[in-house]
Amino acid sequence: MDPSLLEFAWFELHEKNKSVTVEEMAEIIFGRVEPLESYSAHLLLSKDEIYFTILESKGLRCVYGPRPSEQVEELIRRKVAKEAAEKEFQNFIKLLGSAKSMPSHDKPSKSSWQDDEKIWSRIESLEAYAIDACISDKQRETAGIILKEMGLAKTSSSAVNLLIDIGYFPVHVNLDLLKLRIPTDHLEKITSAAQSLLSDSSDPDEINRKNLTNLKVYAIDVDEADELDDALSATKLQDGRINIWIHVADATRYVQPGSIVDREAMRRGTSVFLPTATYSMFPENLAMGAMSLRQGEVCNAVTVSVVLHDDGSIAECSVFNSVIKPTYMLTYESASELLNLNLEEEVELRILSEAANLRLNWRRQQGAVETATLEARIKVSNPEDPEPSINLYVENQADPAMRLVSEMMILCGEAIATFGSRNNIPLPYRGQPQSDINLSEFSHLPEGPVRSFALVKIMRAAEIDFRKPARHGVLGIPGYVQFTSPIRRYLDLLAHYQIKAFLRGEPPPFTSGNLEGLASGVNEKVRAVRKLSNSSLRYWILEYLRKQPKERRYRALVLKFLKDRIAALLLVEVGFQATAWVSVGSQIGDEVVVKVEQSHPRDDIIYVKEVARG
């Protein structure tokens, strides 16, 4: 059964241009025509793909003829290439197996898989298969063959696990970040353009800026915030009314509509804030540098000045370019601590708190719907490690400092809507009709997360009008424009473009129709980022719970009954919603004690069980 015997026969028969039967072939290569030799010749010829071809077939008997020499040479070349490719592929499979067996710290780096073009192509096919993003049948087929050779099922999860096992993906790879194709870096041409903007010291609004550096200015945000785009000041007028200044970073000092940096910000739509990283809408040298409000430095801002009536409604409002010098950069925790200390030297912070309470009470009287709840925030400092450090914070939106900032942002939104309406400026006016909500129907529920959960479930979606303000029933205000985050949100930046043009005495750069078209594309990007942010937060909460001691107990509020005794719960210490069966007698708003029996972040599965009545 040596195939080289056919090569010998081919040379002899090719020279004579002679065809043969199986028996004649047996005679040529074995010298005998016995059954064993004839059958062996038959097997050699039936498996041959190089030297001979069937010329004639009569029943079970075939006549074979030698192929032309050019065809034989080509077939030999193809065979050698196929064998080499198969050998190279098997070496790749061995490489994967070797990488799988290595300790995590010895595995090949991600970049090393790109050194060889063929290896990189196969890794790309596996990655595309893992995130359901194959661009061709060939990619899908390649990934399937690799998984089969590795003894794995042809599923995306198998591909994910294989890429993790060889060290290409980190253990906690964010698949949604890859699937949604969210950009994480800025191209060099964008960062270069941003640097050029920083080099230009001219300020077109310099002569029109009010100098407010004498004001005490508070910037309050989460402790790891890198993009600081709003800050607050307050004082009491002689008649006892409160004057509030909301200072917003003047992003348009550096970026103009239609510029390369503006177009890139529009393409992104928003900054991305994940537990593991921040991906800014603008290059870092702008977003976290010149654009941001920085403590102790003179900063350009757009200031919204509001004077309140005694009942918390707006008496006067104006918008102007300004120069400020932020006094404090406070976290919510440190701001709450200062409020509790009630220090005489921080009277301005007390005035802001007083204004926030006035505003909250006034909005409630206007039908505002209270939606404050507990929310989890997670910071992962070393996400590439198999066992990263996870820090979880539970934010109570009813906390005094968070309430203060929230009320001031809502106040700013109402003031900008009023200013825009008064001056016929097209803006992204947000409204949310809620006339059908009867708050008295929810009075039996405890205030806070339980009542908020019930109310949120029946709220209608927000709407945007680009011509005039529409009432925002949830907030209890006549109009609302998001304005306080031009570094983080592109729609806020659009509002700045419009307002800044008016302040310069120029026509707004965008008509209402232009704004509507731009907003449509931007909102699509924002929805994708929101989906990514929610899934990323959920993944890391589940990972946090997976790492907790099995005996740990959690307090949980019953939010709603889904079916029979299966309830939606809010784990108070985690700020996370889950479902579990609760004992008979439990009511909505009751507190129960639960434990987490299983948590599988990659599969998005959690099992929670009640262990005792609270």
Side-chain angles (χ1 to χ4, degrees):
M1 290 303 298
D2 182 0
S4 64
L5 293 172
L6 286 182
E7 184 180 7
F8 160 76
W10 178 81
F11 277 113
E12 181 176 329
L13 295 169
H14 181 262
E15 288 181 0
K16 299 176 182 178
N17 193 24
K18 183 181 177 182
S19 60
V20 291
T21 63
V22 169
E23 290 82 5
E24 289 170 337
M25 179 63 77
E27 179 68 34
I28 293 171
I29 61 179
F30 297 123
R32 301 176 60 181
V33 193
E34 297 300 321
L36 177 60
E37 285 74 16
S38 296
Y39 183 61
S40 297
H42 161 71
L43 289 178
L44 283 170
L45 285 167
S46 64
K47 294 179 179 179
D48 175 49
E49 296 179 351
I50 296 176
Y51 297 105
F52 292 90
T53 185
I54 297 175
L55 297 178
E56 187 180 348
S57 180
K58 295 180 180 179
L60 298 176
R61 297 180 64 81
C62 296
V63 177
Y64 294 85
R67 295 180 188 270
S69 57
E70 298 83 2
Q71 196 176 86
V72 168
E73 288 173 4
E74 175 62 18
L75 290 170
I76 289 174
R77 187 191 65 77
R78 291 183 185 180
K79 181 182 179 184
V80 170
K82 182 179 179 182
E83 289 173 348
E86 180 60 28
K87 183 178 179 181
E88 188 268 333
F89 179 74
Q90 290 303 321
N91 287 336
F92 171 73
I93 296 299
K94 289 179 182 177
L95 180 64
L96 293 181
S98 173
K100 277 186 67 174
S101 63
M102 290 178 180
S104 58
H105 56 275
D106 291 334
K107 292 183 187 294
S109 65
K110 183 173 183 176
S111 60
S112 68
W113 294 99
Q114 303 178 21
D115 295 340
D116 183 283
E117 186 176 338
K118 289 183 178 178
I119 291 176
W120 175 232
S121 176
R122 292 186 180 117
I123 293 294
E124 278 189 312
S125 295
L126 276 175
E127 181 174 1
Y129 197 84
I131 62 173
D132 300 320
C134 289
I135 59 175
S136 66
D137 290 340
K138 180 174 174 55
Q139 252 194 351
R140 193 174 291 104
E141 181 184 353
T142 299
I145 292 171
I146 294 170
L147 293 171
K148 182 180 179 181
E149 284 293 319
M150 294 296 295
L152 301 171
K154 293 183 182 180
T155 62
S156 57
S157 60
S158 291
V160 171
N161 291 332
L162 176 58
L163 290 170
I164 290 174
D165 289 342
I166 66 173
Y168 179 80
F169 277 169
V171 172
H172 299 288
V173 58
N174 191 328
L175 295 176
D176 282 337
L177 184 63
L178 300 175
K179 289 178 181 179
L180 295 169
R181 299 186 181 277
I182 303 293
T184 57
D185 297 310
H186 285 274
L187 297 176
E188 185 178 349
K189 65 179 181 180
I190 305 298
T191 55
S192 297
Q195 193 58 46
S196 298
L197 293 173
L198 293 172
S199 303
D200 182 3
S201 59
S202 63
D203 175 10
D205 301 304
E206 185 174 6
I207 60 173
N208 294 320
R209 290 193 186 277
K210 291 186 180 181
N211 189 335
L212 302 181
T213 54
N214 61 310
L215 290 177
K216 185 177 283 188
V217 177
Y218 298 89
I220 306 172
D221 212 325
V222 294
D223 55 356
E224 70 270 13
D226 297 311
E227 306 169 350
L228 293 169
D229 44 19
D230 55 72
L232 304 167
S233 301
T235 190
K236 282 203 173 180
L237 303 177
Q238 289 185 344
D239 60 8
R241 294 184 302 171
I242 297 176
N243 191 177
I244 299 160
W245 293 271
I246 301 105
H247 313 288
V248 184
D250 190 357
T252 65
R253 157 71 174 79
Y254 296 98
V255 62
Q256 295 300 316
S259 66
I260 184 173
V261 175
D262 168 75
R263 292 197 304 272
E264 176 64 13
M266 180 174 62
R267 185 176 76 87
R268 292 169 179 256
T270 179
S271 293
V272 182
F273 299 96
L274 303 180
T276 52
T278 296
Y279 305 115
S280 298
M281 186 171 75
F282 289 110
E284 285 189 13
N285 52 358
L286 279 177
M288 302 174 190
M291 280 184 178
S292 280
L293 304 180
R294 301 171 303 283
Q295 181 173 330
E297 297 183 28
V298 175
C299 303
N300 293 327
V302 179
T303 293
V304 179
S305 174
V306 180
V307 176
L308 296 180
H309 284 301
D310 292 340
D311 65 353
S313 61
I314 295 177
E316 305 169 18
C317 70
S318 58
V319 184
F320 49 86
N321 296 301
S322 65
V323 177
I324 64 170
K325 190 174 183 180
T327 314
Y328 293 122
M329 295 297 185
L330 300 174
T331 65
Y332 288 115
E333 291 80 8
S334 58
S336 290
E337 185 177 344
L338 277 178
L339 286 170
N340 289 330
L341 289 172
N342 199 24
L343 300 174
E344 188 62 37
E345 55 268 31
E346 301 301 338
V347 63
E348 295 87 351
L349 190 62
R350 294 210 317 271
I351 295 172
L352 282 169
S353 180
E354 181 183 342
N357 290 329
L358 280 175
R359 285 289 299 172
L360 177 60
N361 291 332
W362 178 79
R363 289 195 306 107
R364 283 173 173 169
Q365 290 169 10
Q366 308 307 309
V369 179
E370 185 63 55
T371 59
T373 187
L374 303 177
E375 286 194 353
R377 179 168 56 87
I378 278 188
K379 189 70 175 175
V380 183
S381 54
N382 50 341
E384 296 291 317
D385 289 357
E387 292 292 333
S389 173
I390 305 173
N391 295 308
L392 180 140
Y393 311 88
V394 179
E395 295 177 341
N396 185 348
Q397 294 174 332
D399 171 84
M402 295 199 78
R403 179 78 78 183
L404 184 157
V405 172
S406 174
E407 287 300 329
M408 294 304 102
M409 298 305 101
I410 294 170
L411 174 62
C412 180
E414 183 186 348
I416 290 294
T418 301
F419 186 83
S421 175
R422 184 188 303 158
N423 297 290
N424 297 314
I425 306 172
L427 291 169
Y429 297 99
R430 291 180 178 271
Q432 195 168 14
Q434 297 295 340
S435 57
D436 55 343
I437 292 182
N438 184 355
L439 295 180
S440 64
E441 294 179 3
F442 300 88
S443 59
H444 66 286
L445 298 174
E447 285 190 19
V450 176
R451 188 181 297 180
S452 296
F453 176 84
L455 288 167
V456 166
K457 287 297 180 182
I458 63 169
M459 285 183 182
R460 292 160 63 183
E463 301 169 354
I464 302 182
D465 190 311
F466 299 92
R467 295 164 182 80
K468 62 183 185 303
R471 177 171 174 75
H472 202 299
V474 171
L475 298 180
I477 54 179
Y480 181 62
V481 175
Q482 287 186 327
F483 191 76
T484 57
S485 295
I487 304 176
R488 309 180 187 191
R489 296 189 300 240
Y490 191 76
L491 284 188
D492 291 44
L493 182 67
L494 285 178
H496 274 247
Y497 286 148
Q498 301 290 89
I499 294 291
K500 289 291 298 264
F502 177 83
L503 295 179
R504 294 186 187 122
E506 301 171 356
F510 303 105
T511 66
S512 57
N514 295 149
L515 288 177
E516 188 170 2
L518 290 170
S520 176
V522 169
N523 283 332
E524 186 178 339
K525 304 290 177 52
V526 171
R527 283 191 291 270
V529 169
R530 188 179 297 120
K531 177 181 177 182
L532 170 65
S533 300
N534 291 339
S535 67
S536 301
L537 179 62
R538 181 176 174 85
Y539 175 93
W540 284 106
I541 291 176
L542 292 183
E543 176 63 11
Y544 171 85
L545 292 171
R546 185 188 69 82
K547 295 176 68 174
Q548 298 306 299
K550 292 296 182 184
E551 64 274 11
R552 181 173 175 182
R553 301 294 185 260
Y554 303 87
R555 293 183 298 122
L557 292 172
V558 177
L559 299 175
K560 180 183 179 180
F561 284 99
L562 305 174
K563 182 181 178 182
D564 299 329
R565 305 307 302 172
I566 299 175
L569 305 175
L570 176 66
L571 277 60
V572 176
E573 295 95 339
V574 188
F576 177 72
Q577 290 183 23
T579 59
W581 187 94
V582 295
S583 55
V584 175
S586 297
Q587 302 293 324
I588 293 176
D590 285 354
E591 184 176 291
V592 296
V593 179
V594 299
K595 68 175 181 177
V596 176
E597 294 203 308
Q598 293 184 52
S599 181
H600 304 287
R602 181 65 64 204
D603 299 319
D604 193 23
I605 293 173
I606 182 171
Y607 295 113
V608 175
K609 182 179 180 181
E610 183 186 10
V611 293
R613 289 294 301 273

